[in-house]
């Protein structure tokens, strides 16, 4: 289950903000490429921009990807035709070194590369590439669930809920948007299921790996729409039974 995500070779680095003259708490440094255990990530309540972030849901841990997280599975996903077709790309010729360089492009301030890990085992099953345009206060969340055993099991809905909360509550973004290919049915379903509104259809806007022109949807989510969606979801939950 995949959504449009920028190619690691094409994504541009996002410069960090200039440091103020007074001393600031130092952000946790990433592990050296391929060395040691990854930083567990800083819980949201204690997180400061520049630090690796950790979000938790019922079944998953969503945290900033680090060099020690790079694994053969990640590389395999970029070379899988079925997975890459979902993000409107041809299979990649990336190397492990290329993935390390890609991770370095995210600063945990205005750009985030989150790994999706199973809470029970710690296994990496996918990733997000998220960007915050501070000029217009817009954010986007692009996701690939690379482990096909977890396709169709609600991993995107559960994990993106946490990321959306982070963006609206912590970053205070004014809008979150996404632009999946119209043929990417699972992605379109997920956007609609999380309260995103379809704001337009760009007809024959992209060329797919087969050389065909395809439509692209534009989805948007405002803070008030997200609040209404959460309230509706909470109201639909069955009440917990209490003992006699």
């Amino acid at each position: 289950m995949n959504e449009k995500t920028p190619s690691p070779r094409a994504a541009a680095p996002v410069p960090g903000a200039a440091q103020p003259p007074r001393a600031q708490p130092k952000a946790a440094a990433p592990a050296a490429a391929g060395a040691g255990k990854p930083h567990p990530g800083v819980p949201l309540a204690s997180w400061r921009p520049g630090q690796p972030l950790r979000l938790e849901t019922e079944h998953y841990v969503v945290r900033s990807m680090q060099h020690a997280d790079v694994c053969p599975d990640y590389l395999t996903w970029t070379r899988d035709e079925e997975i890459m077709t979902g993000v409107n790309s041809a299979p990649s010729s990336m190397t492990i070194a290329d993935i390390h360089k890609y991770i370095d492009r995210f600063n945990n301030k205005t750009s985030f590369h989150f790994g999706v890990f199973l809470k029970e085992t710690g296994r990496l099953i996918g990733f997000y590439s998220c960007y915050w345009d501070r000029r217009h206060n817009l954010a986007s969340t692009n996701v690939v669930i690379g482990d096909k055993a977890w396709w169709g099991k609600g991993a995107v809905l559960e994990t993106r809920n946490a990321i959306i909360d982070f963006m609206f509550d912590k970053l205070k973004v004014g809008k979150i948007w996404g632009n999946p290919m119209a043929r990417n049915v699972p992605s379109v379903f997920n956007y609609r299921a999380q309260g995103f509104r379809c704001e337009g259809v760009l007809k024959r806007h992209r060329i797919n790996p087969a050389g065909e022109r395809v439509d692209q949807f534009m989805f948007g989510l405002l803070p008030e729409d997200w609040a209404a969606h959460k309230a509706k979801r909470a109201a639909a939950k069955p009440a917990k039974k209490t003992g006699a």
Side-chain angles (χ1 to χ4, degrees):
M1 184 164 304
N2 314 304
E3 300 186 11
K4 179 63 181 172
T5 188
S7 165
R9 290 189 181 277
V14 181
Q19 291 295 318
R22 63 179 183 273
Q24 294 288 312
K26 291 184 178 180
K37 292 184 179 181
H39 190 288
V42 178
L44 182 58
S46 306
W47 177 80
R48 293 176 180 272
Q51 293 178 318
L53 176 64
R54 179 186 184 91
L55 304 171
E56 293 193 24
T57 70
E58 183 179 357
H59 302 103
Y60 307 96
V61 172
V62 179
R63 62 170 175 79
S64 300
M65 285 283 292
Q66 295 154 64
H67 292 293
D69 292 314
V70 176
C71 61
D73 284 345
Y74 192 127
L75 188 63
T76 298
W77 300 336
T78 70
R79 297 177 177 179
D80 185 296
E81 183 175 2
E82 185 178 17
I83 293 172
M84 297 309 289
T85 296
V87 297
N88 202 42
S89 297
S92 162
S93 59
M94 288 181 70
T95 65
I96 288 290
D98 291 327
I99 296 174
H100 285 298
K101 291 177 182 177
Y102 182 54
I103 288 175
D104 283 338
R105 293 174 175 175
F106 295 85
N107 60 21
N108 291 311
K109 296 177 182 177
T110 56
S111 56
F112 304 84
H113 190 42
F114 293 128
V116 179
F117 301 87
L118 299 178
K119 182 177 281 188
E120 186 174 342
T121 65
R123 179 181 177 84
L124 178 70
I125 65 165
F127 56 83
Y128 284 84
S129 297
C130 303
Y131 302 90
W132 178 24
D133 175 356
R134 296 183 69 177
R135 167 67 178 83
H136 299 286
N137 202 21
L138 301 171
S140 61
T141 67
N142 308 306
V143 60
V144 169
I145 299 299
D147 189 332
K148 297 177 186 178
W150 293 91
W151 285 12
K153 295 186 177 179
V156 172
L157 297 179
E158 184 174 330
T159 55
R160 191 158 55 190
N161 281 345
I163 294 174
I164 293 173
D165 279 340
F166 162 66
M167 289 180 162
F168 280 142
D169 297 342
K170 190 73 171 183
L171 299 184
K172 304 297 183 183
V173 304
K175 181 180 180 179
I176 300 173
W177 63 275
N179 57 348
M181 299 301 107
R183 294 182 181 181
N184 191 340
V185 176
S187 177
V188 172
F189 172 86
N190 287 334
Y191 277 112
R192 293 187 185 280
Q194 291 188 293
F196 283 77
R197 297 176 184 268
C198 182
E199 299 180 343
V201 180
L202 303 177
K203 303 297 289 184
R204 291 182 286 180
H205 193 66
R206 297 289 182 186
I207 297 177
N208 68 14
E212 304 167 316
R213 299 206 70 89
V214 295
D215 297 347
Q216 186 173 21
F217 284 129
M218 295 298 296
F219 281 99
L221 182 68
L222 299 175
E224 56 268 31
D225 292 333
W226 180 238
H229 173 75
K230 290 178 67 175
K232 182 178 180 181
R233 192 175 64 197
K237 285 184 178 181
K240 291 185 178 180
K241 294 182 179 180
T242 58

